[in-house]
Amino acid sequence: VAVASANVSLASVPVPVQAFPMEEDSGLLILKPEDKRFFTGRVSIRIAYAARYGERSGLYKVRVAEGSERAVTATQLESEHAREVFPCVDAPSAKATFAVSLDVPSSPSAPLVALSNMQVKRVADQGTRQRVEFERTPRMSTYLLALAVGDFQGKSQLTRDGVNVTVWAPREWADKPAVLDTPLAASVGAIEFYSAWTDFSLPNAKFDLAAIPGRGGAMENWGLLLFDEDRFLFDGESEGFYGVLESMNVICHELAHQWFGNLVTAVAWPEAAFNEGFASFFEYKCMESLGQDSATLFQTNVVPESKEVRVHFPGARQHALEFDATSAVTHPLIIERGGFDAIAYSKGAALLAMFEESLGVDRFQKGVRECLAENAYGSVSF
C-alpha cells in the first residue's frame, strides 16, 4: 500500500500530524500527532492510498481458464494480507465494521457479478461502470473482509429462517449447472445445523459461497466464502461419492468458522488452533447432520488414490496422531507464529473430541454456547 496522505481530526477539528514513511519490513504507518489531546478523545483518520494487485494474496486477479481473457478478481486476506489492500490494524483481535463500495465495469454483453461480505444496498449506474454499495458489516477482524467480481452463475435457496444462500461458479461451468446442486444443499443444511447447535443465529441476511479459479484452498470470510473449484463443485459425470464428501466437508468447515473464528475470534495468530481446531471438530458434526458417517470419517484418513489427505479431512484424529508423533515437525498447540498445520487443525479437533467425551455432550454444548454468547464479536484465547 502506498499512502498519499493521512489526515487526522479530533471531534471534527483537524489535528496536525507528522506522517513517517511506511516501514517496508513491518508494514507500519506511523502518525505522530502534534496535539496531545489526540490520546484522550475520539479520533477520525482519513487516508488516501493506492494498492497493487497481489499474487494470490491481498486483492488479486486470476484468469478463469488458461488462455482466456476473462478474469475473476478476489481477495485472500488471512492471515496478514489485509494491510496489502488498505491501511488498517491488521490483527485478529482488532475488530471494526466496514462499509464497502465497488466500481465495476458495466456491459450488457458481459455483465459482472460483484460480491462482498454483506448484501447490496444500492447500485448506481455511471455510464460504462456501476458503483455497487453494500450494507455495513458486523464488527469483525480485517482478515475477514472480502470481495469477488466476475462473470458468475449462481443458484439460491432460503434457509428455514429466511436467510438467502447463493452458490456461485464462473460462467465457464454454464453447461454443467448441476455442479452447484450439492454445494447449495450442503450450504443450506450446514447453516441450519450450526444455527441450531449453537443456539446463535448470525445477523447475516445472506451467504454467498463462490468457486474461484486457481485457488489452492478455501476462505471463511464473513458472508462471502471463497473456495477452490476442485473441492467445492461436484460434477457427477466425472466424480464419485468421495467428491460429494469433499464438497460437504469443505463447506461444513468454512461455515463452522462463521461462528468459530468470525463471530468469536482467536485473540492472536499464535492461537490459530482456536479458529481451526473448532472448525475442524465441528465439520464432522455438520457432515453427520447431512447424513454422512462422521465417526468413521473422523477416525481414519483413507482417501482414493487420486485424492490427498488434507490437514483436517479425512481422519482428523489419525492425522493428528501421525503428525504429532513426528518429532521433526510437531510443536505445541500454541506457538509464536500461528501454525496452520495438522496440529492447529487436526490435533485441535481431537482435543475437543476428548473434551466432549469427558464432559458429556450436553455439558460440552452448554459450555460452547456460553462461550459464543459471552464473547460474541470479540476474541478469546484457547
Side-chain angles (χ1 to χ4, degrees), residues 308-319:
E308 62 178 295
V309 177
R310 303 280 177 166
V311 294
H312 55 89
F313 179 81
R317 176 167 282 155
Q318 181 179 341
H319 201 42

Side-chain angles (χ1 to χ4, degrees), residues 119-161:
Q119 66 271 27
V120 174
K121 183 177 182 180
R122 65 174 63 93
V123 177
D125 289 322
Q126 299 177 333
T128 59
R129 304 185 72 81
Q130 283 186 330
R131 170 159 290 186
V132 183
E133 185 178 344
F134 299 89
E135 297 286 354
R136 184 172 289 274
T137 71
R139 189 169 181 265
M140 67 182 196
S141 306
T142 52
Y143 77 91
L144 296 171
L145 193 67
L147 62 87
V149 179
D151 186 4
F152 293 110
Q153 61 168 359
K155 287 187 177 182
S156 300
Q157 183 179 330
L158 296 177
T159 70
R160 56 174 168 252
D161 293 329

Side-chain angles (χ1 to χ4, degrees), residues 62-380:
V62 60
R63 300 293 178 188
V64 295
E66 187 174 348
S68 173
E69 292 299 315
R70 296 153 69 88
V72 169
T73 301
T75 50
Q76 173 58 41
L77 305 189
E78 189 183 41
S79 53
E80 296 177 337
H81 299 294
R83 67 190 66 183
E84 299 171 12
V85 182
F86 58 98
C88 59
V89 181
D90 196 9
S93 61
K95 297 194 172 189
T97 62
F98 299 88
V100 176
S101 62
L102 301 175
D103 287 347
V104 299
S106 175
S107 170
S109 60
L112 295 179
V113 175
L115 304 171
S116 189
N117 302 83
M118 304 302 287
Q119 66 271 27
V120 174
K121 183 177 182 180
R122 65 174 63 93
V123 177
D125 289 322
Q126 299 177 333
T128 59
R129 304 185 72 81
Q130 283 186 330
R131 170 159 290 186
V132 183
E133 185 178 344
F134 299 89
E135 297 286 354
R136 184 172 289 274
T137 71
R139 189 169 181 265
M140 67 182 196
S141 306
T142 52
Y143 77 91
L144 296 171
L145 193 67
L147 62 87
V149 179
D151 186 4
F152 293 110
Q153 61 168 359
K155 287 187 177 182
S156 300
Q157 183 179 330
L158 296 177
T159 70
R160 56 174 168 252
D161 293 329
V163 177
N164 189 58
V165 180
T166 307
V167 293
W168 302 91
R171 186 68 60 180
E172 280 62 29
W173 290 92
D175 61 336
K176 292 186 175 183
V179 298
L180 291 171
D181 291 345
T182 294
L184 180 58
S187 300
V188 171
I191 292 167
E192 292 177 346
F193 164 74
Y194 287 123
S195 296
W197 197 98
T198 61
D199 195 30
F200 197 111
S201 295
L202 297 176
N204 303 62
K206 67 87 180 175
F207 284 94
D208 289 303
L209 300 89
I212 304 298
R215 280 192 67 95
M219 182 60 207
E220 66 267 20
N221 315 296
W222 201 323
L224 173 55
L225 298 83
L226 304 179
F227 298 85
D228 54 286
E229 293 177 305
D230 181 52
R231 289 181 296 166
F232 181 65
L233 305 176
F234 173 67
D235 185 357
E237 296 179 8
S238 60
E239 293 185 87
F241 182 63
Y242 191 78
V244 174
L245 294 180
E246 277 198 312
S247 180
M248 287 183 174
N249 174 262
V250 71
I251 289 167
C252 282
H253 181 91
E254 303 306 332
L255 281 171
H257 275 306
Q258 304 301 296
W259 285 261
F260 306 101
N262 297 8
L263 177 66
V264 180
T265 312
V267 70
W269 290 123
E271 304 219 24
F274 172 82
N275 291 14
E276 301 303 344
F278 269 89
S280 299
F281 171 75
F282 276 101
E283 72 189 55
Y284 291 92
K285 283 187 174 293
C286 176
M287 291 185 72
E288 184 175 356
S289 77
L290 299 178
Q292 304 307 319
D293 181 4
S294 63
T296 300
L297 290 169
F298 186 75
Q299 297 287 352
T300 309
N301 59 357
V302 176
V303 300
E305 289 185 1
S306 60
K307 297 292 184 177
E308 62 178 295
V309 177
R310 303 280 177 166
V311 294
H312 55 89
F313 179 81
R317 176 167 282 155
Q318 181 179 341
H319 201 42
L321 288 169
E322 292 176 354
F323 196 90
D324 209 17
T326 307
S327 60
V329 294
T330 191
H331 56 77
L333 196 63
I334 298 172
I335 58 176
E336 183 61 31
R337 295 295 296 176
F340 289 86
D341 58 16
I343 297 295
Y345 287 80
S346 291
K347 187 174 181 178
L351 284 172
L352 288 169
M354 294 168 65
F355 293 159
E356 184 183 52
E357 180 69 23
S358 175
L359 294 169
V361 174
D362 291 342
R363 289 180 66 195
F364 178 79
Q365 183 179 35
K366 182 175 183 290
V368 172
R369 286 179 170 182
E370 288 177 355
C371 174
L372 292 176
E374 292 172 6
N375 298 284
Y377 308 102
S379 301
V380 297

